[in-house]
Amino acid sequence: MEKTPGKTGFSRRAFLKGSSAAAAATALATAPDVAEAHQVGTAVLAGPTVIVLTVNGKDHKVNVEPRTTLLEVLRYQLDLTGAKPVSGDGSSGASTVLVDGKPMMASTLLAVAVRGKKIETVEGRGGEKTPDAVQKAFVQYDAQQCGFCTPGFVVATRAFLDKNPKATEADIRGGLNGNICRCGTYANVIQAAIAVAKGGGNG
Ligand code: FES
């Protein structure tokens, strides 16, 4: 039962309703990606919805719910399994992809929030037959053991060297510190990245 308003004319329940709405509005206003997801959410909350994602230069129609992550779409709908589910919160760096050229963790991005953006995965960078300079260097310097972290490291290294083509070893160590290798292959990863930087960072 609604409490009788006090001298101020506001009931406690009415105040709380108002505060929640204001807090939600503030959160949406200050987080564009979340706001976008919620906008879409009003249309998709009843069930899955088809959206278009641009991945490795191609548009893909995918079926998502508001809670679906980019990583889930990549792995389970597009069969792009380079980005890995490891930490789930982005702390391992294993799900690193490029979004509009910036390294981001696919495990922490909602698929609906990256509509209209250019997404690039490790599969979009050369491959077995036409490896790019980073991929070649990782092979040459034996920069992997189990390989689970490797796609994330390759994408992060590529993004870092694109931005810092003449990076020093110290720069590279700092630039790649968001990626974790449980096998401890860091020395080889750093050597591979240094080799690419010495070659001008391109390829
Ligand atoms: S090579 Fe195994 S986690 Fe990095």
Side-chain angles (χ1 to χ4, degrees):
M1 186 175 158
E2 193 83 13
K3 294 266 184 197
T4 307
K7 285 180 187 172
T8 59
F10 292 103
S11 70
R12 186 167 177 274
R13 181 174 295 179
F15 171 75
L16 289 174
K17 275 185 189 167
S19 316
S20 304
T26 305
L28 292 180
T30 54
D33 282 348
V34 174
E36 186 182 9
H38 279 259
Q39 269 177 5
V40 174
T42 58
V44 298
L45 279 176
T49 289
V50 175
I51 62 170
V52 175
L53 294 184
T54 307
V55 181
N56 297 334
K58 287 186 189 159
D59 287 346
H60 298 269
K61 280 186 184 171
V62 294
N63 215 346
V64 301
E65 295 179 24
R67 62 173 179 78
T68 305
T69 65
L70 172 59
L71 183 62
E72 289 169 328
V73 169
L74 293 174
R75 291 183 62 82
Y76 308 128
Q77 293 193 45
L78 302 183
D79 202 23
L80 296 171
T81 55
K84 300 283 190 286
V86 174
S87 57
D89 62 4
S91 59
S92 69
S95 70
T96 307
V97 297
L98 301 183
V99 177
D100 284 345
K102 291 184 189 155
M104 301 186 86
M105 305 305 152
S107 61
T108 65
L109 293 172
L110 291 175
V112 292
V114 290
R115 290 167 311 139
K117 299 181 188 293
K118 288 182 185 167
I119 299 152
E120 188 176 350
T121 70
V122 73
E123 290 89 347
R125 283 280 174 175
E128 222 174 308
K129 289 183 182 160
T130 53
D132 79 353
V134 173
Q135 292 168 328
K136 275 188 207 161
F138 268 63
V139 173
Q140 187 182 349
Y141 287 84
D142 201 16
Q144 64 176 33
Q145 289 187 53
C146 77
F148 218 70
C149 69
T150 311
F153 261 114
V154 167
V155 174
T157 303
R158 185 69 270 166
F160 182 73
L161 292 179
D162 280 349
K163 218 174 164 191
N164 307 278
K166 294 182 181 170
T168 64
E169 177 173 344
D171 296 334
I172 290 167
R173 286 183 183 279
L176 298 184
N177 70 5
N179 290 65
I180 290 173
C181 174
R182 286 175 188 255
C183 299
T185 323
Y186 297 108
N188 304 48
V189 168
I190 301 300
Q191 287 312 308
I194 290 170
V196 179
K198 280 187 177 164
N202 298 316

